[in-house]
Amino acid sequence: MYTGFFGLHSQPFSIAPNPDFLYLSGRHAEALAHLRYGLGDAGGFVLLTGEVGTGKTTVSRALLQELDEQTELAFILNPTLSELELLATICDELRIRYKKSDASLKLLGDKIKNRLLKNHQQGKQTLLIIDEAQHLQPVVLEQLRLLTNLETNSRKLLQVILIGQPELQQLLQRSDLRQLAQRITARYHLMPLTEAEVQQYLSYRLKVAGSERPVFEPGAIRQLYQRSQGIPRLLNLLADRAMLAAFARQKPLVGKAEVQQAAKEILPASTGQAQAMRPALWLWLLALVPLMAGLGFVLARVLG
């Protein structure tokens, strides 16, 4: 590929949520701080929302890197579950044994609560992270709230981080979920990068990948911002394809023309029906990325 041509040791703009490449803009730093707060004594629920591709999953991966052996983690990537399936998935993630033929809400709920008490007695905390949480059904969210009823005088025994798209905020405004909404101790909505942050983002990721010189011309950076609207995942796709185009032309600097070519290849055509479909199409495509990356994360945990 182009890595050797640009003097890099790795691909700087992979769309995998690698926390090593996490550029902590002011917004992303605040998002991570809110997640850290959720691991404190306050407990309860923490809410992280943002549009598709703004970096929510990468921020959560950065948090996971900070966890020590005193934290037992349950990570749910596909929350399109029934109440029973939710409890079963939590049991599976926490390696709690149960007979599937005997599974019921009471049985699984009791087993989870027993594990929470055991972890607390051993000085451990239990963390549940649910990605794409906007897909949770209200009855499932209520079941989740019931799990957090177990507490001491000073803290909840189960800490929950809900990560999702803006629809999650709307979901939690339902009157039948007001008890859960009142238990949210921290919430943050992650916004796209500004134009200045896009320049810093590009420089940071290139530096992590081993770059010792500029790669993008100023005009290319402006074009990347305009085409991506500051959404990191889309920015990665465009930057990667533009660098490939510059490599094919043996150009040491990526220019505006390469970014425009990348946009034509990645984004739908800007005429007629394709123009109307553009936001929905690329947002849908970007939404698939954390799911695929999450599957790899789960496989790594299982095989590891």
Side-chain angles (χ1 to χ4, degrees):
M1 293 293 288
Y2 59 73
T3 52
F5 178 76
F6 288 104
L8 308 174
H9 56 66
S10 61
Q11 193 173 353
F13 298 109
S14 168
I15 55 177
N18 185 348
D20 294 338
F21 282 86
L22 174 61
Y23 164 65
L24 282 177
S25 70
R27 294 177 174 88
H28 289 80
E30 288 181 4
L32 184 56
H34 277 71
L35 296 188
R36 288 172 178 153
Y37 178 79
L39 296 180
D41 293 334
F45 290 84
V46 175
L47 185 65
L48 175 60
T49 58
E51 289 290 351
V52 173
T54 48
K56 303 182 298 296
T57 301
T58 308
V59 170
S60 69
R61 293 290 192 275
L63 179 73
L64 296 185
Q65 284 194 330
E66 299 178 1
L67 301 181
D68 56 26
E69 58 186 13
Q70 292 302 107
T71 300
E72 188 168 19
L73 171 68
F75 198 110
I76 298 179
L77 295 162
N78 180 12
T80 54
L81 306 167
S82 66
E83 298 168 84
L84 186 61
E85 289 170 337
L86 171 73
L87 298 187
T89 302
I90 294 174
C91 286
D92 293 340
E93 286 288 306
L94 298 179
R95 295 180 176 83
I96 299 174
R97 294 183 177 181
Y98 63 93
K99 290 184 178 181
K100 292 185 178 181
S101 58
D102 297 334
S104 66
L105 289 176
K106 184 179 186 311
L107 175 69
L108 299 184
D110 288 344
K111 285 185 172 292
I112 293 171
K113 290 177 180 178
N114 288 337
R115 173 61 64 84
L116 296 178
L117 286 169
K118 180 180 178 181
N119 285 346
H120 176 67
Q121 292 167 357
Q122 295 177 348
K124 295 182 179 181
Q125 62 179 352
T126 310
L127 173 64
L128 171 62
I129 299 179
I130 302 181
D131 206 352
E132 301 295 335
Q134 73 275 1
H135 295 303
L136 289 168
Q137 296 297 316
V139 290
V140 177
L141 280 167
E142 177 60 16
Q143 184 63 47
L144 190 59
R145 182 190 69 81
L146 294 176
L147 283 180
T148 65
N149 281 341
L150 196 60
E151 57 190 353
T152 66
N153 289 336
S154 59
R155 67 179 301 163
K156 298 283 186 181
L157 299 192
L158 177 64
Q159 295 159 308
V160 182
I161 295 177
L162 299 177
I163 303 172
Q165 296 171 27
E167 299 92 307
L168 178 58
Q169 296 184 26
Q170 300 172 9
L171 175 62
L172 293 175
Q173 291 176 2
R174 289 172 53 116
S175 60
D176 55 339
L177 293 176
R178 61 186 181 278
Q179 291 189 70
L180 187 151
Q182 291 172 1
R183 295 189 182 185
I184 297 175
T185 57
R187 61 178 76 209
Y188 192 80
H189 184 72
L190 193 57
M191 299 293 291
L193 301 172
T194 65
E195 185 172 356
E197 289 171 338
V198 164
Q199 182 174 357
Q200 296 164 7
Y201 177 91
L202 296 170
S203 298
Y204 177 81
R205 292 186 70 110
L206 286 166
K207 183 177 180 180
V208 173
S211 174
E212 297 181 354
R213 63 175 179 85
V215 171
F216 293 93
E217 295 178 353
I221 296 174
R222 286 193 296 271
Q223 189 70 200
L224 283 169
Y225 169 71
Q226 292 170 4
R227 297 283 185 165
S228 69
Q229 292 298 296
I231 295 177
R233 195 182 304 155
L234 189 58
L235 183 59
N236 286 351
L237 289 169
L238 291 169
D240 178 75
R241 190 65 62 87
M243 289 181 70
L244 182 60
F247 166 66
R249 298 168 182 173
Q250 294 294 287
K251 293 180 60 176
L253 284 176
V254 179
K256 181 178 178 180
E258 285 72 43
V259 177
Q260 290 175 332
Q261 177 183 334
K264 289 179 181 179
E265 295 174 355
I266 292 173
L267 301 178
S270 58
T271 58
Q273 183 179 4
Q275 172 69 15
M277 291 176 60
R278 176 185 292 181
L281 179 58
W282 67 255
L283 284 171
W284 180 80
L285 291 173
L286 292 182
L288 292 177
V289 175
L291 177 60
M292 300 305 296
L295 291 175
F297 173 75
V298 171
L299 287 174
R301 289 184 65 196
V302 172
L303 296 177

